[in-house]
Amino acid sequence: LSSPRSTFRQARRASNPRPALAARRRPPLLAAGHKSAPMGVMEERFLDRLQQSRTRCAIGAVTFVATLVGGICYFPFTSALILSVEPTPTSPSGVAHRIYAQYFPPEPVQLLVLVKSRDGSPLIPHVNSTLEPEQPRALERWVAAPPPTPLTAEAAQVSHELSGVAARELDVHCRYTFLSYFDIGLKKSHEGRHDRPIHDVLDGIISRVARPMLFDSDASRTLMLVQIEACHGEDMTAEIVGKNEASAPVVSAMEALKDYADAYPASSGLAVERVSFPGVMATVQEGVETAMLLSTLTAIPAFVLLGVFFKNLRLLIITLINIAFCVATSVLIMYPVSLSMKVSAEAPAMMVATGLAMSIDYSLFILTRFGEEKRAGASVKQALLVTLQTSGHTVFISGSTLCLCFLGMLLIPVSTISTMGLAAAFTVLFAIVGGLTITPALLLSFPDFFTADRRLGLSADGIALFAAAPKRLAGDGSEPMLGQGQERASGLPWSPAAAPTAAPAADA
């Protein structure tokens, strides 16, 4: 036997059955027949302002100009970036760095070439580094040149050729120094000898002093240095190589040394490699550009997913415009910042990745909700109003939170990290602006084009070029006549015989 309480519940359920799941689903706020939907005053005023042609033209002009100028500023922006990591200004290393910069000039550009034997054999013979004064003629034997090894002549030839490469690229425009063990010492005559014996002694002393600095412990490796101090009257540092016209000879010398090292025959007993800090920085910059390219390529599957969710490929045009505006405008804002403070070279890669992610994400929120409202029977304005009240509110709140998170990176006293946070915050900000202004403006400007989703938007619907001709009325104005331009819209072939004729006018 059931209790009185359970019997009461059964009777209540029988009298008031629960509605089906589909019926309990909440319909779109402004679907056909739903007149009691709440209307946001701010969103409604905003849409009323957007419906004015003046406002939409202004938004379009600002979008076009900002995207164009930002694209033009991209290359100057990347040339103003730095690859080095600056120390914290208040740290001991930062204080030492600042004091050193006050009393010493910036370090010149150094292009290094490593020459080594392939089998580990010495390039020069091993000599006794200690001087024994008690032995007869000790100084003469100490400074005398030891007999060469089989690789000594080849290494000396490499040194002479590298000196010629540097002279060919830098002699005219730059002030530089070439340093090699095989090219140091006093100038000799054409026969390879000095005019005075004392010069041989001085050469021997110089070689003795330079040997441990330019060779490793077993003398199988040596460094050859091209130190460039200035070009075209401008001091050269590693940070500005490749970023202005004055450093063009340095870039040419780097490429020439690299070509020489790559072309050196592998069958010889020596291996030649170019190792220099500007070369390392160029490699890092190439890595950053590769990362940007990979970030851009990841947008392809994202666009495929967007097309599936939208069920209209034409809406992807809005997403592309938002991405271009977001990234270009961020570059436009960050370029003056890079002129006044040191911005990391990784900032553009982060801006591109953030711009792609946020623009695609916000387009997914806004355009998906807009499509749902349109399919439910709402007009374009009604669908946009509901979209701004729901998805637009979500985009604004989440984007603002993300901007605050990125701006929190400014509290980190390392310019490399803080500037990346600033760049990412600007990118998210303009992604919000694009999603909440450019997207509604485009949908209001071209409603027929962006809402035509037949065949996933690949049909000619909504395109003015393929639109049907206006209907022509009969003579009495009662029945429309099919024209040749309406053959596509009606699906029936048109012929003059099949066209209805006007009825004769009645006599007065």
Side-chain angles (χ1 to χ4, degrees), residues 141-274:
R141 288 197 303 269
W142 186 74
V143 300
T149 67
L151 295 177
T152 303
E154 185 177 356
Q157 181 65 26
V158 170
S159 176
H160 299 330
E161 292 175 357
L162 289 176
S163 177
V165 170
R168 184 173 63 250
E169 301 293 339
L170 304 172
D171 259 354
V172 178
H173 305 290
C174 300
R175 185 173 74 252
Y176 74 99
T177 303
F178 180 79
L179 178 61
S180 170
Y181 174 81
F182 303 97
D183 280 292
I184 60 176
L186 303 177
K187 297 296 182 181
K188 299 181 180 180
S189 62
H190 296 287
E191 291 80 10
R193 293 177 297 181
H194 290 298
D195 297 334
R196 299 179 181 180
I198 186 61
H199 291 173
D200 293 327
V201 176
L202 293 177
D203 266 354
I205 295 175
I206 295 174
S207 300
R208 282 279 186 167
V209 174
R211 190 176 294 131
M213 293 188 296
L214 298 178
F215 284 90
D216 60 352
S217 58
D218 58 356
S220 62
R221 302 184 183 190
T222 183
L223 286 175
M224 301 179 185
L225 169 67
V226 181
Q227 181 169 292
I228 307 171
E229 300 175 0
C231 287
H232 296 285
E234 182 176 347
D235 293 338
M236 288 289 108
T237 59
E239 286 77 12
I240 67 173
V241 172
K243 298 181 179 180
N244 55 16
E245 294 296 331
S247 64
V250 181
V251 177
S252 300
M254 291 172 54
E255 294 297 329
L257 293 177
K258 183 178 182 300
D259 294 341
Y260 178 87
D262 294 340
Y264 198 77
S267 58
S268 65
L270 296 179
V272 181
E273 300 176 3
R274 188 202 68 174

Side-chain angles (χ1 to χ4, degrees), residues 9 22 48 51 55 68 80 85 89 147 195 202 205-206 236 273 277 284 293 348 365 373 398 451 496:
R9 288 178 179 175
D48 290 340
Q51 283 186 312
T55 304
L68 179 63
V85 179
D195 297 334
L202 293 177
I205 295 175
I206 295 174
M236 288 289 108
E273 300 176 3
F277 186 65
V284 172
L293 178 61
F365 277 118
E373 296 296 328
S398 63
T451 57

